[in-house]
């Protein structure tokens, strides 16, 4: 399920593909602004599989609503990183 999220700073729109899996929902990152600085997987909190990049999350996303909340939080934090080079706590 493709969905779009406009960041709280109104500077960007992120595109996610939410996929339900046996172990819960996964949030694939389909489109986002370019990083303005190096952004390794571990720094930017994403992983990759054969389907593309997805948000790194160690818990279980049991509902689509939980996945959307995680994606929104990740997008907003990523925007701060793009602007400042630091992820907010």
């Amino acid at each position: 399920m493709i969905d779009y999220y406009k960041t709280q700073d109104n500077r960007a729109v992120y595109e996610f593909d939410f996929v339900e899996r046996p172990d819960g929902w996964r949030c694939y990152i389909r489109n986002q602004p370019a990083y303005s600085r190096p952004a390794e997987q571990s720094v930017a909190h994403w992983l990759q599989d054969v389907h593309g990049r997805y948000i790194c999350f160690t818990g279980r996303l049991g509902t689509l609503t939980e996945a959307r909340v995680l994606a929104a939080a990740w997008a907003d934090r990523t925007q701060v990183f793009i602007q400042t080079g630091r992820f907010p706590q």
Side-chain angles (χ1 to χ4, degrees), residues 61-76:
L61 299 170
T63 67
L64 178 56
T65 299
E66 291 172 343
R68 283 181 169 149
V69 167
L70 173 68
W74 181 87
D76 285 325

Side-chain angles (χ1 to χ4, degrees), residues 29-61:
I29 307 154
R30 294 296 178 220
N31 196 12
Q32 71 171 98
Y35 291 104
S36 55
R37 55 193 39 84
E40 299 171 358
Q41 288 176 277
S42 61
V43 172
H45 303 283
W46 56 268
L47 299 171
Q48 188 163 351
D49 65 14
V50 296
H51 302 290
R53 291 183 306 126
Y54 62 93
I55 296 173
C56 177
F57 182 70
T58 57
R60 182 177 190 283
L61 299 170

Side-chain angles (χ1 to χ4, degrees), residues 9-20:
D9 67 4
N10 291 315
R11 291 185 175 188
V13 175
Y14 286 67
E15 180 181 350
F16 296 100
D17 187 6
F18 298 101
V19 176
E20 189 172 18

